[in-house]
Amino acid sequence: MSTSNEVYLGQKNSVARFNLDTQKSVWVKAIDGSASIISTCGDNVLVQSSTIWGRYTHYLLDAQTGNQIWATVIIGSLIVPQYYKGDIFFTNAGGAVCKLCGISGKLLFQTKFKKWYDSSTYILTVAKDKIYILSKKKSFHVQIDSGKCIEAPELANFAKDQLTFGLGNGVDQIALFSSVTIAAAAASADGGAIGGGGE
C-alpha cells in the first residue's frame, strides 16, 4: 500500500481501497459474500470472503487497481496465509499442509501430516527460508516444492506447553491480526490445524 492515507475495507458483496483524506474509493471490487479477512501479499491483496451459507471464496487482487488475478473456492475455510516466494502456504482443518500458486491460484499440493487421532495443535511458520509445522510433541520440515513433510526430531518437545500461535518471517500487520482472529476461533473450537505468518 502507498504512503497515502488509504485502507482496504470489506462490506457485504464488495471490497474497496478507500482514501480517508478524499473520502473516496480508489477502487471497488464486487465479491461473493462479505470480506472476512484481508491481508497483503507483495503487490497484491488476498481477500477471504464468506457467505451465510458457509461458502468461502479467496480472491487475489492487484492492490493498485483492484483487478482480480484469481479466485478459488477450493480452500473451503478461512486460513492464515503464509506468503513465501510468491506462493501461499496454509494448513487446513483436515491436518494437511497446502500450497497455492500465487500466479494462478491453483492448488499445487495438499499433504496430510496429522493423524485423525492426534489432538496436538500445529503451527505453520516460515523461518530462514524453510517452512515448518510445529507442535509440542512432533514437528516437521515441509519441502517447498513437493509438500513432503519430514519429521524434525530435533524440534520435538522443545516447548513446555501446547502451541497456540506462531509468527514467522516478515508478516504484515493485517495478516498478523487475521492470524490472531483465526487462532482465537480455533482455540474456542478446541483446536484445528492453524498457521502463523511469514514470508
Side-chain angles (χ1 to χ4, degrees):
M1 181 167 278
S2 70
T3 56
S4 60
N5 198 15
E6 295 178 353
V7 294
Y8 298 107
L9 300 174
Q11 295 181 319
K12 184 177 180 182
N13 298 321
S14 71
V15 64
R17 182 171 174 165
F18 192 80
N19 188 303
L20 298 176
D21 293 329
T22 63
Q23 297 186 11
K24 293 183 179 179
S25 298
V26 177
W27 52 256
V28 177
K29 170 67 178 170
I31 61 171
D32 183 27
S34 299
S36 300
I37 298 175
I38 302 171
S39 56
T40 56
C41 176
D43 294 331
N44 302 317
V45 177
L46 181 67
V47 177
Q48 301 185 55
S49 71
S50 58
T51 68
I52 59 172
W53 299 281
R55 177 183 168 96
Y56 296 93
T57 308
H58 293 69
Y59 300 87
L60 192 69
L61 308 177
D62 182 289
Q64 296 300 315
T65 65
N67 291 338
Q68 180 175 306
I69 298 168
W70 51 257
T72 184
V73 296
I74 196 168
I75 297 172
S77 67
L78 299 177
I79 62 169
V80 180
Q82 311 290 314
Y83 306 113
Y84 183 72
K85 294 189 176 180
D87 293 320
I88 300 170
F89 293 80
F90 62 95
T91 55
N92 64 24
V97 59
C98 307
K99 178 182 179 181
L100 281 182
C101 175
I103 296 171
S104 68
K106 179 182 176 184
L107 186 64
L108 299 176
F109 64 68
Q110 179 173 305
T111 306
K112 187 96 167 160
F113 66 89
K114 183 177 178 180
K115 307 292 185 191
W116 65 270
Y117 53 82
D118 186 350
S119 62
S120 298
T121 300
Y122 288 89
I123 304 297
L124 178 68
T125 192
V126 180
K128 198 176 178 182
D129 292 327
K130 292 184 180 178
I131 297 178
Y132 294 98
I133 300 171
L134 305 173
S135 79
K136 179 182 183 298
K137 294 181 181 178
K138 185 186 285 188
S139 296
F140 302 93
H141 171 237
V142 180
Q143 291 189 341
I144 294 168
D145 295 327
S146 68
K148 182 177 180 182
C149 297
I150 301 169
E151 191 169 347
E154 70 276 13
L155 296 176
N157 299 310
F158 73 95
K160 180 180 175 183
D161 295 310
Q162 289 276 13
L163 301 177
T164 59
F165 185 74
L167 178 63
N169 297 340
V171 70
D172 65 72
Q173 191 175 29
I174 297 173
L176 173 60
F177 288 118
S178 301
S179 300
V180 171
T181 301
I182 292 179
S188 68
D190 198 25
I194 59 171
E199 180 172 357

